[in-house]
Amino acid sequence: MSIGALMALTLVVPPAGAGPTSAAAAVTTHAATATVSHATSSVVPSRYVCTTVRSASVTYSCVIGHSVGGRAIVAQRQGSATATRVLVVVGQMHGEEWPGPRSVDVVRSIPTPTTASYAIWTVRTMNPDGGAVGRRRTNHGVDLNRNFPNKFKRMSDSGPRALSEPESAAMARFLTWVQPDLVVSLHGFTTAVDITGGGVRAAWGRRFSTLSRITPAHVVPCGGPCHGNMTDWYSATSKVHGVAFTVEMPRSSKVARACGVPGHRRGTPIQCVAWAAAYLAPRLPA
Ligand SMILES: [Zn+2]
């Protein structure tokens, strides 16, 4: 997309200090149906309620949906308003997997220049009901990583149909709108960066592995073949050739060790993963 076209779009964000408000008055179309672009340079969908965050790096925060239990699913954006490189970090899909949200907290604490050419969106949890009680599944008993459209198969914990759940539907809408170059989906079931399938996704996965010092693996356990998982779905449907991969974080994430991110010699896996994500964001393809 040309810079001119980017500039022609309007970023609708409430002024600093404003309370929760809707951008609906200034937006008439859902951005997911608009010209393919990085949404950080586009209008905010009218369904989202966004507020400005008083922070050096976080520009604004949007409620992108709600869980079955009515809890907000929140995405925060830090970095450039006209980014040509966009990273999304999803901290938690399975509510008992706790390292990812803490890694997102670290990402959010890293200053991200608003004058740079990149932006980072973080979703601390897309399963706030499960996260509140330390439970893998949603209030509907659904494993959200079985509910996306890619190779969806009806199983005991998949939900009745693809995107039947408000949590997965919200995330699918969000990713379809943002069209990130890279999505890093954090989990805590085992220790691995998923490089299944080879190609660009595996290349980025290997690079992330080198930086975070989390071992690459060709298969991340899905309890069998992966049906309906988010990363395969996004990698198969991205309109900007974006890719997504899973990072399984160790349960021993509180123990510091050497990590591979330049400028950071030692850190916990929570820190190393966050630093790796922040390091990669400005190095994504424009
Ligand atoms: Zn998981």
Side-chain angles (χ1 to χ4, degrees):
M1 194 175 192
S2 71
I3 294 297
L6 289 174
M7 298 305 290
L9 297 169
T10 304
L11 181 65
V12 181
V13 183
T21 184
S22 171
V27 180
T28 56
T29 59
H30 192 299
T33 62
T35 304
V36 174
S37 67
H38 293 112
T40 45
S41 303
S42 185
V43 293
V44 175
S46 58
R47 70 170 67 240
Y48 295 163
V49 177
C50 302
T51 54
T52 299
V53 177
R54 292 184 182 278
S55 164
S57 61
V58 176
T59 312
Y60 61 90
S61 173
C62 298
V63 175
I64 62 171
H66 291 83
S67 65
V68 172
R71 291 183 170 89
I73 300 170
V74 178
Q76 286 195 1
R77 186 182 70 81
Q78 58 200 78
S80 169
T82 55
T84 56
R85 302 171 174 86
V86 179
L87 169 70
V88 169
V89 181
V90 180
Q92 183 182 62
M93 179 183 288
H94 297 131
E96 86 282 25
E97 297 173 3
W98 56 267
R102 297 181 188 183
S103 198
V104 163
D105 291 340
V106 177
V107 172
R108 290 178 175 179
S109 73
I110 297 172
T112 308
T114 56
T115 55
S117 61
Y118 68 97
I120 303 173
W121 281 96
T122 51
V123 179
R124 194 173 189 277
T125 180
M126 60 176 284
N127 180 9
D129 294 344
V133 295
R135 181 192 61 216
R136 178 179 181 86
R137 299 172 183 173
T138 67
N139 279 9
H140 281 167
V142 171
D143 183 333
L144 293 172
N145 223 15
R146 308 288 182 270
N147 193 243
F148 281 80
N150 195 57
K151 296 181 181 177
F152 176 81
K153 178 181 178 182
R154 187 163 181 176
M155 298 179 285
S156 60
D157 59 356
S158 65
R161 62 190 178 282
L163 302 182
S164 59
E165 306 308 304
E167 297 92 345
S168 52
M171 185 56 60
R173 280 195 306 267
F174 175 71
L175 293 176
T176 299
W177 169 54
V178 171
Q179 289 295 318
D181 300 290
L182 180 64
V183 180
V184 179
S185 178
L186 303 180
H187 290 254
F189 180 77
T190 180
T191 302
V193 177
D194 186 17
I195 55 170
T196 302
V200 173
R201 177 163 72 162
W204 281 110
R206 287 187 182 282
R207 191 168 182 189
F208 193 91
S209 173
T210 299
L211 293 165
S212 64
R213 295 287 167 86
I214 295 196
T215 310
H218 283 285
V219 178
V220 170
C222 282
C226 293
H227 292 280
N229 68 327
M230 184 180 76
T231 53
D232 285 350
W233 166 76
Y234 182 71
S235 298
T237 60
S238 170
K239 298 180 177 69
V240 296
H241 306 293
V243 294
F245 59 76
T246 292
V247 176
E248 296 280 359
M249 300 175 67
R251 298 296 176 100
S252 58
S253 282
K254 294 180 180 178
V255 180
R257 45 57 181 296
C259 65
V261 183
H264 298 286
R265 298 174 65 180
R266 287 180 64 83
T268 65
I270 288 171
Q271 292 172 315
C272 291
V273 162
W275 295 337
Y279 182 84
L280 280 185
R283 293 166 174 81
L284 295 170

